[in-house]
Amino acid sequence: MSAKFKTPEESRVTLSMLMLPSHANFSGKIHGGHILSLVDQIAFACASKHSHNYCVTASVDVVDFLAPIEVGEMVTLKATVNYVGNTSMVIGIRVDAEDIKSGISKHCNSSYVTMVAKDENGKTVAVPGLKLTTETHIRRFAREIRRKSIKRESAREMKATNFSAAEFVKQLKDYNVELPS
């Protein structure tokens, strides 16, 4: 590990590319899976730049598709380290698409990916801390602490809940499902 603490700017990565017809789905919009692949690649690049190690994807915590991306638009992904633990990092990714003719840009996707640093033997390794120098850095770090807490609470609740049919059949009648008679 070369630095004890690094600012988010030191590990920021930006990727821009033109969206081609080969990236489109059946409705002519850019396939969400293609964008997710780019999100994973830039998360890897950002986490590896921060940790100076190979990194693997531990989880994709949030993916919000906000607007469709058209063939011919210039897509720009920006990745920043928002949170660090001992061996993990949460990378925030923003995806914007720009109509290259009009210059109009739109926010299309926000994602949060947890990456874990590994050594050459596949063992987890410590990562540099995060030097929070702005209000934005502090806000992003604090949001990740809360997001992690909510995720842990949700996992505990799911584990503790007995999802028996008898218990939930009354509630399921309010949903668009057909139940056995």
Side-chain angles (χ1 to χ4, degrees):
M1 186 169 30
S2 59
K4 198 169 188 167
F5 291 91
K6 294 173 79 173
T7 66
E9 289 79 14
E10 291 177 82
S11 304
R12 183 169 289 149
V13 177
T14 301
L15 169 69
S16 294
M17 62 186 307
L18 184 66
M19 292 294 102
L20 304 174
S22 62
H23 302 136
N25 61 24
F26 293 114
S27 66
K29 307 297 182 195
I30 300 307
H31 196 290
H34 181 67
I35 299 303
L36 288 175
S37 176
L38 294 174
V39 163
D40 192 50
Q41 290 174 47
I42 198 166
F44 168 84
C46 184
S48 295
K49 188 173 180 181
H50 183 80
S51 68
H52 294 284
N53 282 285
Y54 180 79
C55 294
V56 296
T57 306
S59 69
V60 179
D61 297 322
V62 176
V63 177
D64 291 323
F65 289 101
L66 306 170
I69 300 172
E70 306 291 335
V71 170
E73 289 184 325
M74 183 66 68
V75 168
T76 300
L77 294 92
K78 296 177 183 175
T80 305
V81 179
N82 287 349
Y83 172 90
V84 296
N86 293 321
T87 62
S88 67
M89 298 148 280
V90 175
I91 312 300
I93 297 120
R94 180 183 170 106
V95 180
D96 292 310
E98 179 183 352
D99 179 316
I100 56 176
K101 291 180 181 177
S102 69
I104 296 172
S105 187
K106 60 188 174 188
H107 180 195
C108 298
N109 178 289
S110 289
S111 300
Y112 299 92
V113 181
T114 300
M115 305 294 290
V116 175
K118 301 279 188 166
D119 67 12
E120 55 280 346
N121 299 313
K123 303 288 185 195
T124 57
V125 293
V127 299
L130 203 55
K131 186 175 184 179
L132 306 176
T133 60
T134 70
E135 191 173 311
T136 298
H137 297 162
I138 295 166
R139 178 180 47 79
R140 288 177 177 166
F141 197 91
R143 286 180 71 143
E144 289 307 324
I145 290 170
R146 181 66 182 129
R147 191 182 330 272
K148 285 180 159 308
S149 173
I150 291 169
K151 191 175 176 180
R152 278 191 304 275
E153 290 169 25
S154 177
R156 273 193 301 270
E157 183 178 322
M158 292 297 281
K159 190 174 182 178
T161 303
N162 175 12
F163 287 97
S164 68
E167 182 182 346
F168 285 93
V169 73
K170 189 174 181 179
Q171 292 176 22
L172 292 175
K173 289 181 181 181
D174 294 336
Y175 292 88
N176 188 17
V177 296
E178 184 176 325
L179 298 168
S181 304

